[in-house]
Amino acid sequence: MGLTQVSTDGVKNDAITKVKIPANQIEASELADNAVDTNAIQDDAVTQDKIAAGAVNTPEIATNAINSDKLANNSVDANAIQSLAVTSNKITSGAINNTHIGTGAINGDRLTDETVSLAKLPHGDGSSDGKFLRANNGADPTFETVSTTPADGSITRAKLSDNVKIAVAGRNMIINGACRISQRLETGGNNTAILNDTNNNSGSAWIAYPVDRFVCWAVGGGALTIQRSDDVPAGKGFSNSLMMTCSTTDTDALTQGSTYYILQQRIEAYNTNRLSMGGTGAKSSTLSFWVKAPAGTYGVHISNNAQNRVYLKEFTVSANQTWEYITVTFPGDTTGTWEKYTNSGVQINWTLAAGTNYQGTANQWATSWDSHTSNQFNFMGTVNNIFRMTGIQYEVGTEATEFEHKQINQDNADCQRYFYKHKITDSIGPYFMQYHSSHKFVHDWFPVEMRVAPSASVSYNDGSGHTSYKISPSHFKAYMGSSYTDGSSYRLSSASYNAEL
């Protein structure tokens, strides 16, 4: 009787050898799960032709049963493997190398985070030395050269650290922008002066400077009280500001013809030549300052010495009596006549109020002294209005940089080029010395050379016939009649010298 079915219990171990089984007699359905392990498969025995599409699924493969030795090159294609059939525990370490992975088979979804190290990235060849791999907007990355020399204009102020931003010395053309020096009013503290038409203390008068180099005018029916102040913006490194208070109102200052209440600094042309005004290379300039004033719109303009090249800008104080930082940029002027030596190179004017004769249009060069627009706030309209300012800087370019803080001795010396008040203690200044049988001479040497030979305001303790003699930018001289036998001492009691622009 023939056998129709033999169970595994009826077969001795190792009874069925390779020669007992004809080719292609065993199909996937004839194999129990995990029936074939690694030891039962000869190296390279399983080729692509031996595996039917979808024939191998996860239960048919023992853990670590398939390693690289068992697979012929390109023997397994996608059709032979069910989805998710091959898990990590079915693959022995190192079983899959580049020859087993088809082009494009691995995408980002197949990689866990941080699995690709620097060593796995392409390093290029000799032609790529010193280059960097750059993303290419979805296309293949490319090697590119990164120059260590930046292109012109590529480094903006925003790219610089704070330490670098403040490193360029001498950029501020304003003198005493921190408002620390007040030779005329500082004696005994922050003293005040009143400016109005009646007391003739406007403009050219020496007392019309709340701090050195900043001069005020009060031309009209109102009056300004000016002084140095200790009120400053917090955390900006300032100790003083200049201060102007409306002590007598001029409520129609904007509707009259020729009134004006202004603050001005005139900058010596030697210091503004860097702007190259009046030619094709004229440069833009930027004015910046901190201001605390009544809310409103104010005018600020620059002009040449003749005041026939004028550029007016508006600035707005947004919050009443709150320190605000203002920046204003002016274009360079390619025409007009701009001084180059000891006269005013650029005059900067802040307008508190002014009449219709000086009203103009902002943001254009004009040939008249336009100090404000129709939007001007009338600072002189309310008594006790206060206008403070500090941190004033004027520099080349279209961007305001951090304020240039200077050493106090430098601020002093800069101011003394234009005004020098000899601080004489107890009215005992330089003495007259006998130089002739009938004359005595006195010298007062200035700490710095002044802009030009100054005008002098001096007083003496005694004597008569005092005569100034050939005053120079470096010193003051005077003589008086006095004989050798004159037993009295004569000296300067006070002395101030003015070479303002």
Side-chain angles (χ1 to χ4, degrees):
M1 177 177 67
L3 293 175
T4 59
Q5 183 174 355
V6 179
S7 68
T8 55
D9 295 336
V11 181
K12 291 182 178 180
N13 290 338
D14 300 325
I16 299 176
T17 63
K18 180 170 62 175
V19 297
K20 303 297 185 180
I21 304 173
N24 300 320
Q25 289 301 301
I26 299 178
E27 298 179 354
S29 60
E30 307 295 338
L31 298 173
D33 289 347
N34 298 320
V36 181
D37 63 16
T38 304
N39 296 327
I41 304 174
Q42 290 182 347
D43 291 347
D44 297 326
V46 180
T47 65
Q48 186 174 11
D49 295 336
K50 305 300 184 181
I51 304 174
V56 181
N57 56 39
T58 304
E60 310 299 339
I61 305 173
T63 301
N64 295 326
I66 300 176
N67 57 42
S68 58
D69 294 334
K70 305 303 180 183
L71 299 177
N73 288 342
N74 299 317
S75 60
V76 181
D77 63 15
N79 294 327
I81 304 175
Q82 290 183 347
S83 297
L84 306 178
V86 180
T87 60
S88 60
N89 63 353
K90 303 301 183 182
I91 304 172
T92 59
S93 177
I96 298 177
N97 56 39
N98 287 343
T99 61
H100 300 117
I101 302 174
T103 302
I106 299 177
N107 57 35
D109 296 335
R110 305 302 181 192
L111 299 175
T112 58
D113 291 344
E114 300 182 3
T115 57
V116 180
S117 66
L118 179 62
K120 305 300 183 185
L121 296 176
H123 288 66
D125 52 27
S127 64
S128 303
D129 287 349
K131 297 183 179 181
F132 294 84
L133 199 61
R134 179 184 182 274
N136 199 13
N137 195 27
D140 290 340
T142 56
F143 282 99
E144 291 190 4
T145 299
V146 177
S147 175
T148 56
T149 302
D152 291 346
S154 63
I155 298 180
T156 62
R157 177 173 164 76
K159 305 295 185 185
L160 301 176
S161 70
D162 288 340
N163 289 336
V164 175
K165 289 176 184 177
I166 63 174
V168 181
R171 65 190 180 279
N172 189 5
M173 291 176 273
I174 291 286
I175 292 176
N176 198 29
C179 303
R180 294 187 294 182
I181 311 302
S182 180
Q183 296 184 80
R184 299 164 178 88
L185 298 179
E186 71 182 352
T187 303
N190 295 326
N191 293 337
T192 63
I194 297 177
L195 306 183
N196 56 38
D197 282 345
T198 302
N199 62 18
N200 196 31
N201 277 340
S202 293
S204 59
W206 292 6
I207 203 65
Y209 291 77
V211 297
D212 276 36
R213 302 295 297 122
F214 289 90
V215 62
C216 293
W217 274 267
V219 178
L224 287 171
T225 299
I226 63 172
Q227 65 187 104
R228 184 179 62 179
S229 169
D230 297 330
D231 191 335
V232 295
K236 302 302 176 182
F238 301 111
S239 57
N240 296 106
S241 60
L242 62 81
M243 175 176 167
M244 296 172 289
T245 303
C246 175
S247 49
T248 301
T249 62
D250 189 348
T251 56
D252 57 351
L254 301 181
T255 57
Q256 298 179 59
S258 57
T259 57
Y260 55 93
Y261 301 85
I262 67 170
L263 174 74
Q264 182 186 79
Q265 179 159 147
R266 299 181 176 187
I267 307 174
E268 189 174 353
Y270 277 125
N271 296 329
T272 60
N273 284 338
R274 67 191 77 175
L275 295 173
S276 300
M277 291 291 213
T280 56
K283 298 177 178 64
S284 298
S285 55
T286 296
L287 175 69
S288 56
F289 53 92
W290 287 90
V291 64
K292 183 178 182 180
T297 298
Y298 298 80
V300 59
H301 73 262
I302 62 172
S303 73
N304 61 355
N305 186 58
Q307 298 181 348
N308 58 13
R309 297 297 296 164
V310 178
Y311 200 97
L312 170 64
K313 299 280 284 190
E314 293 179 330
F315 70 91
T316 298
V317 175
S318 301
N320 187 62
Q321 291 301 331
T322 302
W323 282 108
E324 296 181 42
Y325 184 63
I326 304 294
T327 64
V328 179
T329 296
F330 301 93
D333 184 21
T334 58
T335 61
T337 300
W338 295 79
E339 296 286 342
K340 296 181 179 179
Y341 303 107
T342 57
N343 288 330
S344 296
V346 173
Q347 299 179 4
I348 304 178
N349 302 266
W350 291 262
T351 300
L352 303 180
T356 55
N357 290 353
Y358 310 114
Q359 183 175 307
T361 302
N363 304 317
Q364 65 181 30
W365 284 106
T367 57
S368 58
W369 198 79
D370 294 343
S371 69
H372 66 289
T373 71
S374 58
N375 299 320
Q376 175 71 36
F377 172 76
N378 183 11
F379 175 84
M380 301 302 296
T382 303
V383 71
N384 292 328
N385 272 345
I386 298 175
F387 186 102
R388 295 181 179 91
M389 193 164 60
T390 192
I392 307 146
Q393 183 153 288
Y394 183 59
E395 58 195 308
V396 177
T398 58
E399 189 173 7
T401 65
E402 187 172 344
F403 181 77
E404 181 185 358
H405 291 277
K406 297 180 180 180
Q407 299 288 342
I408 187 66
N409 60 324
Q410 183 178 352
D411 270 343
N412 260 319
D414 289 345
C415 292
Q416 287 169 346
R417 177 171 171 80
Y418 305 93
F419 181 82
Y420 169 52
K421 182 178 181 180
H422 192 157
K423 296 180 180 179
I424 295 175
T425 303
D426 296 332
S427 299
I428 303 174
Y431 279 85
F432 281 83
M433 305 298 291
Q434 197 79 34
Y435 82 100
H436 186 272
S437 60
S438 59
H439 290 87
K440 288 181 169 63
F441 223 112
V442 67
H443 289 263
D444 194 10
W445 294 90
F446 309 142
V448 299
E449 183 175 289
M450 302 192 75
R451 180 183 66 89
V452 293
S455 59
S457 177
V458 296
S459 64
Y460 306 94
N461 69 316
D462 202 353
S464 61
H466 307 100
T467 304
S468 299
Y469 180 75
K470 293 186 177 180
I471 302 172
S472 76
S474 61
H475 71 294
F476 167 81
K477 300 185 292 291
Y479 64 88
M480 62 176 291
S482 177
S483 68
Y484 282 120
T485 58
D486 186 349
S488 300
S489 295
Y490 304 101
R491 62 181 180 269
L492 289 177
S493 297
S494 66
S496 295
Y497 306 97
N498 183 19
E500 294 283 3
L501 290 157

